[in-house]
Amino acid sequence: MKPAPRLPEHPPRLWKDAEPKKAYDVVVVGGGGHGLATAYHLAADHGITNVAVLEKGWLAGGNMARNTTIIRSNYLWDASAGIYEHALGLWETLEERLGTTVMFDQRGVLNLAHNLSDVREGKRRVNANQLNGIDAHWLTPAEVGKLAPVLDVSERPRHPVHGATFQPRAGIAKHDYVAWGYARAAYEMGVDLVSDCEVTGFTQAGGRVTSVSTTRGEISAGTVVLCAAGHSAVLAEELGVRLPVQSHPLQALVSELLEQVLDTVVMSNAVHVYVSQAHKGELVMGAGVDAHIGYGRRGSFHVVEEQMAAAVELFPIFARAHVLRTWAGIVDVTPDASPIVGPLAAAGDNVWINCGWGTGGFKATPGIGHVFADSVAHGRAHPLVEPYALERFTTGRLIDEHGAAAVAH
Amino acid sequence: MSRLPTGGSRIDRTRPLTVTVDGVELTAYAGDTLASAMLANDLDVVGAGIYTGRPRGLVGIGREEPNAWVQVLDHGGPGTGEPMVQATTQPAYDGLTVERLAGRGRLLPHTDETRYDVLHLHCEVAVVGGGEAGVAAARAAVAAGEGRVIVLDDAPTAPVVDGARCLPDTTVVGAHAHGRLVAVQRLDSADGGGARRLLQVQARRVVLATGSEERPMAFPGNDRPGVMLAGAAAAYVERYGVLPGRRAVVWTAHDGGHAAAAALAEAGVDVVAVLDVRDGDVVTGTDGGSDTGRVTAVHTTSGTVEVDLLAVSGAVTPETRLWTHAGGTTRWSDDVAGFVPDAPPQGGRFSWAGTERTAADTGGRAPAAWFCATDLTDEQAAGTYLDLHRDATLADVRHAVEAGLRSVEHVKRHTTIGTGADQGRCSGVLAAGVLAQLLGEPLGRVGATGARPPLVPVPFGLLAARNRGVLSDPVRVTPIHDRVAHAPMEDVGQWKRPYAFPSVDESLDEAVVRECRAVRTGVGMMDASTLGAIHLRGADVGVLLDMVYTNLFSTLAVGKVRYGVMCGPDGMVVDDGTTMRLSETDWLMSTTTGNAAAVLDTLEEWLLTEWPHLDVVCTSQTDHWSTVAIAGPLSRDVVAALAPDEDVSAEGFGFMTHREAVVAGMPARLARVSFSGELAFEVSVPAWYGAALWDAVAQAGAPHGITPYGTETMHVLRAEKAFPIVGQDTDGTVTPADLGLGWALSRKKTDYVGKRSHARPDAQRPDRRHLVGLAPVDGTSLIAEGSQLVAHGADLSATPVPMLGHVTSAYAAGVEGPFALALLDGGRDRIGEVLDAVDDLVGTPVRVTAPVSYDPEGARRDGA
Amino acid sequence: MLRIPCPHCGERDETEFHYGGEAGVDYPADPSALDDVAWAEYLFVRADPAGWFTERWCHVAACRQWFTIDRHTVSDEFRPVSEGVRA
């Protein structure tokens, strides 16, 4: 009966919840990873510290606490590669920046191919990645089997593994450590972190939003920054703007803690599996997005059952592992599976939005925090987020990441 | 041995058995759990702390057990072991072999071949729990004539309720919206094995009678073997006739602890003291033996007692997890010192039935909500375990609070309390209570962390059920499959299609070269039955087709065939294919193999939701027809032999026409369509004639050396003609104009699906990606599919290297040698340019060509 | 697993249905008359409320009919559709 290694300790001091003040230079709506990282960068990079982060529940308790923590940048299109690779670079130095451990573990990510079409698309993406300076390789089934010996790379599965793309610098991190690291660093620079503070409306005057109504009172805002993920559409509606986003349940699950069997992250779009074994030893798996919209943080169990069938098909030794816990988050999905980042001019001159990350927001956290704060501070979209303007839906210049590069996020 | 000579309501003393724990054989009886067998055999140490490695003993008797985790090596067959199960819920059976764990499971390197089944049950009333409240609810439902009533009970023996079906050994693991229950039924509790099945229960109404659970109190030294829940200790006596200790102290915060003490005493345990926090008695520490660490003495506020059992009971409170799964809320109740059901789940399908009696009901004393002493030193706090399974202590919670955390969810994540495989049954409320103390807030405000399904851990394989192997996704084959099954197959959606037909001494590539040459110079045959076929009938089919295809269809004459492109409302290509007009009112549409169902769905959606006034009925006929394509300059001779009554001359049977005919004695439809640019025919017969048709074509073609060909040859041939493959040369970002199909965008029609999007600024950009051809500059180099196109001579190390497009299709076996199709920025304006096609950072110089690389004037379609 | 009340077949499992999103979004009578903003609105923008929502489903595995129904997107309760909204 061999004891397991403990996880690293959290810092002795994290943050203290603030009582909201009457006014802030910047009010960030949404205390998830993106909101916290944006607030951190506003303070750290631009000296903007009169900032409140308003969170309707507990800090980083939404998708930040519910995602499967996969970090990678091997996206097809230049715009996507740009922002995600920027983020990955920042992940690599995040511990030094925040002064806390985030357990970023570059164990690599495999994206499996199960038919000739997958192989073509995988190679297309690898080539695009390499030319964008992103580490990526194509692996044969045998090479895949070496990296993930518990993955069945034989001809036995219904959809056998024909190969995979591999990004060695990709990996996982520990979401609480990340969120709390940002929260702590922002707090230490004077950012107010306000929990249990739900935004219920906005006051608009003179083409601006002048204040935010919350369950803890009215808060005046110089600039309003929306980072509310699955609740973005609801907030935008309050601002009189209809967004092309739909909020869907997305489920995930963990097994019991198990001795290490899987040293890399495995994703398969064709058979809907993405799995890693977290630091403590649990298998962490993402299931599919439910087809219908929903805010109940509750998905349909048949989605989990389908996920298990796919997992056992690829990983036969998982058949007797146990589902310990399932849960759902609310993901905001756009028509082209790419985010919307930029000014929300229709709501006011001083309103910025960052939403629509669907299932892929966690991995972008450091990158979007950096460039979104830069955009807000300078009053113009950072070049890396320019392609993500809301206007693309009008012009038709979409960044369609599910058409081609359709890799489960 | 601690087995009493008599007693034990669940065991059968006539059926002794042996279980093996870490190589030590234990004797037990049928009906024992592994835990009761361990206890009966005086196995004090049932596990170890996950981080501390400290020896741990049994605490509970059911799924609340935090310590007794074992790896089952083998349930009787390869792969049937389990990485981590609770000894308290694992039935003992003869031959059961396990190893104890330190809070972490171990997967066995075997494939589990067990077949798991699913049982679907539908009922008016489902009652979860076969205890007093559940039985009463079931009887009431039967008496009220509510219909079918099912009782699901996780005990090995179900209650008997006349008029209701009672399922024993059945644990409801999830209660979901709209009255759906997911349950696990153990099929083997008497005879061993791991056999289980999944139950999907759909109920109009669900009564949750899930009973109650006991929670401990925490104190320094509370992780020693010999510290147990009092109710569990008494239940080991009652159920299994096992004494959990010889000499005991019972410490309680409610009247139930006194009842447990009495039961232990009656069974022969020397209960030396019953301490009650309500009287100010608090356990302050323990001593343990030097071997297993089992408790030898208990220090209390009223002195020290030498014992081998410390039975603790903090409270007995409702088990509300399924209630909260379904969306019900809970509230803190001082009456029971626990969280109790509050607002029911929305939708009215779930109700709660409990028989909890408060002190007011029984005339007893109110329970105390007591969790842990507040004045412990740091050293004591570090030895006061709030979650034994996660090895987390009072000191850990203090650290979290000192770090600034206030939310119970944050503290749970900081300490990991309640995240273990025991679902935090012994620790969740304890930790919340301690947090409330530390924050000085009422527990009702601090709240409990949410419970999430499943109620207990469930094997992946059980949830996968029968959906393994070929049942995980159906395999579709055509009626011709037997004739071609020897060929290597390509998966196209669910279909299996022959990739090529290599002879024994041929490589796949060589076979493709040979097959291509046969079609270009002789004749080939291919099973084309997988293409989608949708029959359209009605007066308004032409109107529908004019909307869903970009080009004009309503003008198509009976007997003619037309190629069409379909776009989504966003203007991007979604499918293509030919549609033939069979009569004034009957049309037959063909779709790509992969999109058949989606196209049918789309057509029906338009018809039913936007254009219900149109007289059109759609019927999927993909499975109705077997189709063989006969292609090549000699195909006419083959068809003439097959259908001697038909005039198949170029004049008598024009390109893009079709007719009914008798082919090899079979009723057939003959069409002159070509996916290769060569003279070609398609013969379709009712599906069940497929194999006969294949044989007949092969026989009629034999004199001409007819050659079966597969998907790869089809792709080469079509690519030379630049016929795009939707999904390969398109990716959801490609318009018909991008593909060079601008001719198919009707300007006469006022509208078609996608037309407005084609007028958007981005669709009008001259530098959009166009489909072009590529040829290697040296004439011989292969171009790799998926290559990215960059400027010729670009420095590939100077990333990011601007990418101009990518290779969508590439083939070695073109008439002129290797060639490719690519999507290239402003491609039609670059014809003649040299670029590099980069694959794995190696560039191949390629010249941009017109997409059509073979017979651009179309001279061959009527035959050479 | 949602239990969806098909008006033709009765209450059935969600897995028998296709989701159709917001109801009442008509194909424009004359798309060419719309400017790019209005066309983009038709293509991409759908209501996404946390609360009652009138949506479309198609019972693909049975009657294959489309219908509209109100669902509460937080609790997943269904109720008959408000008057005057069609699929």
Side-chain angles (χ1 to χ4, degrees):
Chain A
M1 289 185 276
K2 201 174 56 175
R6 284 184 191 268
L7 294 188
E9 300 247 327
H10 289 284
R13 296 282 178 275
L14 288 166
W15 75 90
K16 285 201 167 72
D17 281 347
E19 281 296 319
K21 296 192 293 192
K22 292 278 173 227
Y24 291 93
D25 292 341
V26 179
V27 169
V28 177
V29 182
H34 286 204
L36 291 169
T38 302
Y40 163 78
H41 280 285
L42 282 171
D45 303 352
H46 307 286
I48 302 171
T49 57
N50 186 23
V51 175
V53 177
L54 309 184
E55 168 54 47
K56 74 186 174 90
W58 39 284
L59 216 59
N63 292 344
M64 192 65 180
R66 293 157 199 271
N67 76 89
T68 53
T69 79
I70 298 172
I71 294 163
R72 62 188 180 87
S73 65
N74 56 346
Y75 280 71
L76 175 68
W77 299 110
D78 292 350
S80 315
I83 183 67
Y84 288 111
E85 177 59 21
H86 181 61
L88 182 51
L90 293 175
W91 277 111
E92 288 172 323
T93 56
L94 192 57
E95 295 205 344
E96 297 89 88
R97 186 181 303 269
L98 296 180
T100 53
T101 179
V102 298
M103 303 184 69
F104 178 42
D105 181 350
Q106 292 180 286
R107 55 176 65 183
V109 169
L110 289 164
N111 293 107
L112 304 181
H114 297 277
N115 53 49
L116 297 181
S117 175
D118 284 356
V119 171
R120 261 191 304 268
E121 291 305 335
K123 289 184 172 175
R124 173 188 178 191
R125 190 159 43 79
V126 162
N127 288 323
N129 293 158
Q130 291 175 343
L131 293 170
N132 270 322
I134 294 169
D135 59 320
H137 314 286
W138 179 257
L139 299 182
T140 63
E143 292 167 329
V144 171
K146 281 201 189 98
L147 278 172
V150 295
L151 176 64
D152 186 349
V153 295
S154 75
E155 287 294 312
R156 188 204 57 84
R158 168 68 181 87
H159 295 286
V161 175
H162 285 223
T165 70
F166 184 57
Q167 184 181 21
R169 286 164 61 240
I172 58 171
K174 192 87 176 79
H175 38 26
D176 294 332
Y177 287 67
V178 176
W180 299 355
Y182 275 115
R184 173 179 170 275
Y187 168 77
E188 296 206 329
M189 287 183 290
V191 171
D192 276 2
L193 307 176
V194 188
S195 300
D196 297 316
C197 183
E198 181 168 4
V199 171
T200 54
F202 300 88
T203 306
Q204 289 160 294
R208 298 170 62 79
V209 170
T210 54
S211 72
V212 179
S213 309
T214 79
T215 49
R216 296 178 67 176
E218 196 76 7
I219 300 173
S220 298
T223 300
V224 175
V225 174
L226 304 179
C227 292
H231 285 81
S232 297
V234 173
L235 286 172
E237 191 83 30
E238 290 292 332
L239 287 162
V241 181
R242 279 158 55 87
L243 293 175
V245 300
Q246 296 269 282
S247 299
H248 292 263
L250 172 68
Q251 298 182 80
L253 60 93
V254 290
S255 74
E256 70 268 72
L257 307 187
L258 297 164
E259 290 180 11
Q260 200 71 24
V261 293
L262 184 61
D263 299 327
T264 190
V265 182
V266 179
M267 307 175 70
S268 166
N269 189 47
V271 294
H272 305 297
V273 170
Y274 42 118
V275 57
S276 67
Q277 188 169 16
H279 303 88
K280 290 203 308 270
E282 68 271 35
L283 299 170
V284 181
M285 311 188 76
V289 176
D290 282 43
H292 56 271
I293 70 169
Y295 286 88
R297 278 192 180 150
R298 177 173 59 206
S300 291
F301 199 66
H302 71 89
V303 177
V304 170
E305 291 166 357
E306 288 158 14
Q307 164 74 2
M308 290 298 90
V312 172
E313 192 61 11
L314 284 178
F315 297 92
I317 81 160
F318 290 176
R320 294 273 178 154
H322 297 87
V323 177
L324 175 57
R325 190 160 54 243
T326 66
W327 65 89
I330 307 165
V331 295
D332 46 334
V333 177
T334 63
D336 61 356
S338 289
I340 297 168
V341 186
L344 193 62
D349 294 340
N350 60 337
V351 185
W352 291 79
I353 188 153
N354 166 34
C355 69
W357 291 87
T359 61
F362 176 76
K363 69 177 77 69
T365 303
I368 196 63
H370 176 234
V371 297
F372 194 41
D374 178 273
S375 302
V376 172
H378 292 109
R380 56 94 189 94
H382 184 283
L384 285 176
V385 300
E386 263 178 13
Y388 294 105
L390 188 53
E391 286 68 37
R392 73 179 186 274
F393 296 100
T394 303
T395 64
R397 187 145 205 169
L398 306 186
I399 306 159
D400 197 335
E401 282 289 347
H402 50 33
V407 186
H409 283 268
Chain B
M1 285 292 289
S2 297
R3 185 84 67 180
L4 293 166
T6 58
S9 63
R10 292 198 178 180
I11 56 170
D12 178 355
R13 290 178 187 257
T14 66
R15 295 172 60 199
L17 55 86
T18 301
V19 299
T20 306
V21 178
D22 285 306
V24 178
E25 292 194 347
L26 310 181
T27 56
Y29 296 113
D32 264 322
T33 62
L34 181 59
S36 63
M38 288 167 153
L39 202 60
N41 288 268
D42 300 326
L43 193 68
D44 287 349
V45 178
V46 298
I50 181 168
Y51 301 126
T52 59
R54 288 171 62 88
R56 295 278 163 77
L58 271 178
V59 168
I61 194 166
R63 50 199 186 220
E64 75 283 2
E65 169 60 37
N67 288 334
W69 298 97
V70 297
Q71 179 192 24
V72 177
L73 296 181
D74 184 347
H75 270 312
T80 58
E82 291 201 63
M84 186 163 170
V85 300
Q86 246 168 343
T88 48
T89 60
Q90 171 61 51
Y93 60 87
D94 202 34
L96 175 65
T97 305
V98 305
E99 290 181 359
R100 290 167 294 181
L101 296 170
R104 209 162 55 134
R106 203 177 295 135
L107 286 170
L108 287 159
H110 301 300
T111 300
D112 176 15
E113 302 292 354
T114 309
R115 197 184 82 178
Y116 297 102
D117 279 318
V118 183
L119 180 64
H120 291 262
L121 295 172
H122 294 257
C123 60
E124 273 65 38
V125 183
V127 179
V128 183
E132 199 181 323
V135 167
R139 290 206 172 111
V142 171
E146 283 198 62
R148 196 174 158 83
V149 179
I150 295 178
V151 180
L152 306 133
D153 190 10
D154 60 4
T157 310
V160 176
V161 177
D162 285 341
R165 179 175 182 188
C166 298
L167 298 167
D169 271 329
T170 301
T171 304
V172 175
V173 296
H176 301 278
H178 302 168
R180 172 65 61 116
L181 304 174
V182 179
V184 176
Q185 186 177 26
R186 195 179 274 282
L187 300 173
D188 63 337
S189 63
D191 304 319
R196 274 156 287 194
R197 70 180 166 189
L198 197 67
L199 304 190
Q200 298 276 4
V201 182
Q202 182 59 50
R204 198 158 298 287
R205 186 164 86 76
V206 178
V207 180
L208 294 175
T210 46
S212 52
E213 58 184 11
E214 188 178 19
R215 73 162 185 261
M217 297 179 281
F219 51 90
N222 63 338
D223 76 326
R224 292 188 182 284
V227 178
M228 287 183 81
L229 287 167
Y236 275 107
V237 176
E238 188 279 323
R239 293 182 194 173
Y240 307 108
V242 176
L243 275 192
R246 301 291 191 278
R247 191 176 151 84
V249 165
V250 176
W251 183 39
T252 184
H254 64 109
D255 290 355
H258 294 270
L264 289 170
E266 192 184 340
V269 178
D270 179 10
V271 179
V272 291
V274 181
L275 305 174
D276 194 319
V277 290
R278 295 172 296 182
D279 300 327
D281 287 324
V282 174
V283 172
T284 56
T286 62
D287 295 336
S290 56
D291 46 355
T292 64
R294 183 171 177 126
V295 64
T296 54
V298 176
H299 307 291
T300 77
T301 42
S302 40
T304 296
V305 201
E306 292 194 357
V307 294
D308 65 354
L309 175 66
L310 171 52
V312 179
S313 192
V316 175
T317 63
E319 158 63 287
T320 57
R321 283 179 182 76
L322 292 176
W323 177 259
T324 54
H325 289 181
T329 65
T330 61
R331 64 178 171 84
W332 177 260
S333 162
D334 286 328
D335 291 341
V336 298
F339 289 94
V340 296
D342 193 18
Q346 282 170 301
R349 299 221 197 196
F350 288 87
S351 60
W352 177 265
T355 51
E356 303 86 16
R357 290 174 188 84
T358 63
D361 299 330
T362 60
R365 294 168 74 188
W370 213 94
F371 308 101
C372 180
T374 54
D375 57 354
L376 299 178
T377 65
D378 287 350
E379 190 184 347
Q380 288 174 311
T384 301
Y385 287 82
L386 299 181
D387 189 335
L388 291 160
H389 182 29
R390 299 287 318 140
D391 249 349
T393 66
L394 174 62
D396 295 322
V397 174
R398 285 182 177 177
H399 290 153
V401 172
E402 282 159 13
L405 300 182
R406 294 291 178 274
S407 158
V408 67
E409 294 285 355
H410 282 146
V411 171
K412 166 183 162 182
R413 282 164 171 76
H414 192 281
T415 60
T416 75
I417 289 175
T419 63
D422 58 350
Q423 312 281 27
R425 285 189 165 77
C426 284
S427 60
V429 176
L430 203 56
V434 166
L435 178 62
Q437 286 171 0
L438 291 171
L439 298 177
E441 287 186 14
L443 217 173
R445 187 143 110 226
V446 168
T449 58
R452 293 150 171 185
L455 185 74
V456 294
V458 181
F460 285 18
L462 186 57
L463 293 175
R466 296 289 293 276
N467 301 318
R468 315 247 320 244
V470 291
L471 295 182
S472 68
D473 191 21
V475 173
R476 296 181 78 182
V477 296
T478 75
I480 296 170
H481 185 74
D482 283 350
R483 297 295 191 271
V484 298
H486 58 284
M489 291 286 155
E490 176 183 356
D491 286 321
V492 182
Q494 293 173 331
W495 290 99
K496 296 280 184 193
R497 301 193 72 183
Y499 176 88
F501 293 85
S503 62
V504 285
D505 51 0
E506 233 179 6
S507 71
L508 277 178
D509 289 345
E510 288 165 346
V512 172
V513 170
R514 174 178 52 76
E515 292 170 15
C516 286
R517 190 179 306 122
V519 177
R520 291 283 182 230
T521 62
V523 61
M525 60 189 287
M526 187 187 73
D527 179 3
S529 310
T530 61
L531 289 179
I534 301 170
H535 182 258
L536 304 164
R537 170 172 290 173
D540 296 322
V541 174
V543 180
L544 171 71
L545 296 180
D546 278 351
M547 278 304 289
V548 298
Y549 279 130
T550 62
N551 47 334
L552 197 61
F553 268 79
S554 50
T555 55
L556 188 68
V558 174
K560 299 278 191 171
V561 186
R562 188 166 288 169
Y563 169 80
V565 185
M566 247 178 235
C567 291
D570 66 353
M572 302 303 157
V573 173
V574 294
D575 203 58
D576 71 344
T578 56
T579 288
M580 54 182 70
R581 190 163 193 175
L582 307 176
S583 74
E584 276 305 307
T585 55
D586 290 86
W587 307 60
L588 190 65
M589 172 187 283
S590 75
T591 73
T592 60
T593 297
N595 283 338
V599 169
L600 177 66
D601 288 350
T602 303
L603 296 179
E604 290 191 338
E605 181 175 353
W606 285 116
L607 285 169
L608 289 165
T609 67
E610 291 291 347
W611 309 314
H613 55 283
L614 294 186
D615 173 22
V616 183
V617 174
C618 308
T619 308
S620 169
Q621 290 196 341
T622 305
D623 293 335
H624 297 201
W625 301 99
S626 287
T627 300
V628 175
I630 305 169
L634 300 182
S635 58
R636 181 175 286 127
D637 299 338
V638 178
V639 175
L642 283 164
D645 297 340
E646 300 296 325
D647 175 2
V648 295
S649 67
E651 305 72 36
F653 196 165
F655 183 57
M656 296 300 261
T657 68
H658 66 89
R659 64 176 62 160
E660 305 293 312
V662 174
V663 172
M666 289 173 268
R669 189 170 49 249
L670 265 175
R672 253 203 73 197
V673 294
S674 176
F675 199 43
S676 60
E678 300 295 337
L679 175 69
F681 297 80
E682 278 186 8
V683 189
S684 298
V685 296
W688 50 87
Y689 292 135
L693 174 65
W694 183 264
D695 292 344
V697 174
Q699 193 182 355
H704 307 284
I706 198 165
T707 302
Y709 64 94
T711 52
E712 185 64 3
T713 292
M714 173 184 78
H715 289 167
V716 176
L717 300 174
R718 65 87 205 174
E720 288 183 303
K721 295 295 292 180
F723 299 143
I725 294 185
V726 173
Q728 177 166 348
D729 301 303
T730 73
D731 60 6
T733 69
V734 178
T735 66
D738 298 341
L739 293 175
L741 299 175
W743 59 265
L745 301 176
S746 171
R747 282 164 193 81
K748 290 186 196 153
K749 297 194 290 191
T750 55
D751 195 21
Y752 56 80
V753 174
K755 183 179 174 79
R756 176 64 187 80
S757 288
H758 294 152
R760 288 189 298 172
D762 199 64
Q764 300 286 323
R765 276 191 297 120
D767 62 342
R768 285 186 64 84
R769 292 201 162 172
H770 301 148
L771 188 72
V772 295
L774 300 175
V777 169
D778 64 11
T780 56
S781 293
L782 299 183
I783 303 167
E785 281 181 352
S787 295
Q788 293 286 340
L789 298 172
V790 304
H792 180 49
D795 176 2
L796 301 185
S797 64
T799 60
V801 184
M803 285 170 265
L804 307 172
H806 76 283
V807 175
T808 59
S809 307
Y811 307 98
V815 167
E816 309 284 338
F819 74 105
L821 294 177
L823 286 166
L824 175 63
D825 289 347
R828 285 196 286 273
D829 298 323
R830 293 177 184 262
I831 288 170
E833 282 184 28
V834 173
L835 304 170
D836 287 346
V838 181
D839 182 46
D840 207 15
L841 291 177
V842 176
T844 301
V846 293
R847 189 176 307 282
V848 181
T849 68
V852 181
S853 58
Y854 179 75
D855 183 30
E857 51 288 335
R860 299 182 61 83
R861 72 170 200 213
D862 290 329
Chain C
M1 179 72 76
L2 303 179
R3 290 282 288 179
I4 301 173
C6 171
H8 310 286
C9 308
E11 188 182 279
R12 294 289 186 275
D13 278 358
E14 172 190 355
T15 45
E16 296 183 12
F17 296 81
H18 261 336
Y19 186 58
E22 184 182 9
V25 183
D26 289 350
Y27 186 74
D30 181 7
S32 66
L34 301 182
D35 63 16
D36 288 333
V37 171
W39 179 245
E41 176 105 352
Y42 164 72
L43 279 182
F44 296 128
V45 179
R46 297 291 181 273
D48 189 24
W52 286 107
F53 182 50
T54 304
E55 63 188 10
R56 310 183 311 148
W57 293 88
C58 179
H59 196 185
V60 286
C63 66
R64 295 189 69 82
Q65 298 298 303
W66 282 89
F67 59 92
T68 63
I69 193 159
D70 282 1
R71 180 174 57 95
H72 195 281
T73 62
V74 180
S75 71
D76 285 335
E77 278 179 276
F78 286 101
R79 72 177 185 198
V81 69
S82 331
E83 286 290 306
V85 182
R86 68 173 181 82

